[in-house]
Amino acid sequence: MPLRLALVFVLGIVFTLLTGMVDGGVGVGPMQALSQPLFLIANALPGLMLASLLLVLSRRAFLSFGLAFLLQTVVYAINALKVSNLNTPLMPADFRMLGQLRRGGLKLLGSYLPASPWPYLALLAAVAIIVVAWRIEPPMFARRTRGKRLVTGVALLALIGTLFAGMPGWMKLYGGHHLWLEPWSATATAEHSGLVSSLMMFHLHQGHARKKPDPAAAQQLISRADVALREYLHGPVRNNGEAPDIVVVQSESFFDPSIMKGYEHSDLTPNLHRLAAQGQSGPLHVPTYGGGTIRTEFEVLTGLSLRYFDDMQFPYLQMNHKVVPSMVRALRSHGYETIALHGNDPGFWNRNTAFQAIGFDRFVSRKSFPANAAMDGQYMADSAMTDEIMAQLKNAGPPQFLFAISIEAHGPYDVPPAHTAERDAIPVPQGVTGQNKLELQNYLYHMRHADQELGRLAGLLAHRERPTLLLFYGDHLPALTDTYNTTGFVDGKDMLSQAGTWLLVDPRNPASPKHEALASWMLPGRLLEQAGVRDDAYFALTQVIAPQLASLTRAPGAPPEAQDNSEHQEDDDMANVALLRMKGKLDALLPKVELQTAGFVEDAPLVPSGVEPVGTHQ
């Protein structure tokens, strides 16, 4: 018995040291075993508990520790893929993606897997070794132990369950008091405390640190902004009483490459620049980098900043509200028909359910597009999206709000496009070579198509019978991390600190240009103002405070912006406003204004009569 316990103890030490080696973080490497052993043990502890449970079940020590280490290594491999593409480590909410694999996620996420056969051969070899170990390794103890195995197994399973359930007792180890926790930086936390400890700490931190809104603080912000807010609410309506149709295009991974060194004197987005001279535009601060489209999408549709919801990394997968306040609902209250368009699986990112909560009347997804819709590279071409937008717009009936989500420029960028000669003619900055050059050219090929379709769409809308507003923006920068590290950016900041771009124009009635930096959650207020919808005090508030808070929106892991005392106070108070808004408890604190649309009925049904509901196809 002592020898068997000694073997398990030695295997536990080896498992802990190997975990530190695979992790590679400065705080959990084997060289830190004597100086800060708690860091190594905490990072390996979940794996050790799993190995112990497997030992009770299988009665084989080498098999159990080997299988636990293999499963842990798979997590580290997935983390390496995420870091290479998105420059940020795994977070607890990432595991919600498992539920998306059968909803179009397997094809999308599978495209990021390495093309080399060696990782898969190594995995097969490891599985083969485990199978052999199962067959040849003798059991450490008898099958029947008079209930000891059962009691021990149940105890270990319960212990593991309490950890993943986020029971408070685990805060003593993973609460950040003994390990290195930087709540604003998952990268720094994982580097110093290890990936596994980072996952546990953020899991527990988000579960026990949910903010409770403070109505008094929210009221202070509203009171300070009272004069400007009331002036805004009663400001002039710019559409002469005619409700315009509204088209919003969320352009996948779109940004202006002129912010990169090597492209600062190039014009790869001529239509964006031409239209910017006819309306409003500027840098757009978004809450994500390289992926996580729904983070920006959620902010634009709701006007709520994810900065104020620490536990909501993937909002559509985590929303628990059947009714979410949004720009969509504000427009419906003014008689708009609201339609979402996306040339992909409607279930991916849980958009079917989320769009119902946000208030869309219909969701036109991939199956509802024409069977011959153009494809380019791996996804539907932006030209097909433009065609569908124009097919949906009507010159009679109620005003329409169309929210179109493009996908042509989605990564990864190693898939050949339809016209390789066009791709190969695109110049790249000096120093960008090999695979990085090919991926940059592939991205720019699709991005230039997005710019061309922006110009085509604006031209078509300018000739419609009905007035139409066009809002165009990019959801995040593409995941071209190695290229950015080679070129750098004109402003000297890193890739996580770069802003995208937004554009708001009336194609039929060009105006004087206005350039302003906004955050994605401020766009709906700006769009509603331009459409003459000024009776939602919350969206009005986002415009009144926009100059102070826009630059605070940033991708996870980006260096925080410096704040003076007044900005910090404004930020904290706005957090309480946003939390109350999500809970439906803000309206009582806001100034009231009568609806500006004649004939609006307060208790109108959620889905107007004769309108096809979200989730059905045409």
Side-chain angles (χ1 to χ4, degrees), residues 281-481:
S281 65
L284 183 67
H285 299 280
V286 300
T288 189
Y289 161 81
T293 293
I294 58 169
R295 291 177 60 80
T296 303
E297 185 176 311
F298 172 85
E299 290 201 351
V300 171
L301 290 174
T302 66
L304 293 166
S305 172
L306 289 172
R307 174 180 176 81
Y308 305 129
F309 299 88
D310 292 339
D311 59 338
M312 195 181 293
Q313 184 174 356
F314 298 126
Y316 291 177
L317 306 183
Q318 297 173 259
M319 291 191 321
N320 298 316
H321 301 77
K322 293 184 178 180
V323 175
V324 176
S326 67
M327 165 175 63
V328 184
R329 292 188 177 279
L331 289 168
R332 280 181 56 170
S333 72
H334 284 261
Y336 276 79
E337 179 189 11
T338 57
I339 306 165
L341 310 175
H342 185 36
N344 199 22
D345 189 311
F348 188 58
W349 284 133
N350 200 35
R351 280 191 172 101
N352 253 346
T353 301
F355 282 174
Q356 284 183 328
I358 288 171
F360 281 105
D361 295 319
R362 289 193 289 120
F363 182 13
V364 179
S365 61
R366 177 67 184 90
K367 293 180 180 179
S368 299
F369 278 70
N372 62 347
M375 304 288 289
D376 200 336
Q378 190 165 328
Y379 302 106
M380 182 180 290
D382 281 2
S383 60
M385 177 60 74
T386 301
D387 293 342
E388 186 62 24
I389 290 171
M390 297 309 299
Q392 290 289 332
L393 288 171
K394 305 294 186 291
N395 285 316
Q400 291 179 286
F401 169 71
L402 269 63
F403 181 73
I405 308 163
S406 81
I407 196 171
E408 179 180 338
H410 201 293
Y413 302 110
D414 54 3
V415 178
H419 306 286
T420 55
E422 178 187 339
R423 184 267 317 273
D424 294 340
I426 298 173
V428 300
Q430 186 175 0
V432 180
T433 60
Q435 185 67 20
N436 290 337
K437 175 183 177 181
L438 182 66
E439 291 183 357
L440 177 59
Q441 288 177 317
N442 280 336
Y443 164 72
L444 291 174
Y445 167 94
H446 295 300
M447 184 280 296
R448 292 174 74 176
H449 286 184
D451 180 73
Q452 291 165 12
E453 289 306 311
L454 168 62
R456 183 165 80 97
L457 177 61
L460 293 170
L461 297 178
H463 292 91
R464 293 188 68 226
E465 295 179 18
R466 299 176 66 161
T468 312
L469 292 179
L470 172 60
L471 172 64
F472 177 92
Y473 67 91
D475 55 349
H476 52 69
L477 265 65
L480 299 169
T481 301

Side-chain angles (χ1 to χ4, degrees), residues 508-532:
R508 202 168 71 174
N509 299 294
S512 300
K514 179 180 180 181
H515 188 82
E516 183 178 2
L518 292 178
S520 46
W521 58 278
M522 298 169 180
L523 283 182
R526 183 59 54 91
L527 177 60
L528 291 174
E529 174 193 2
Q530 193 70 17

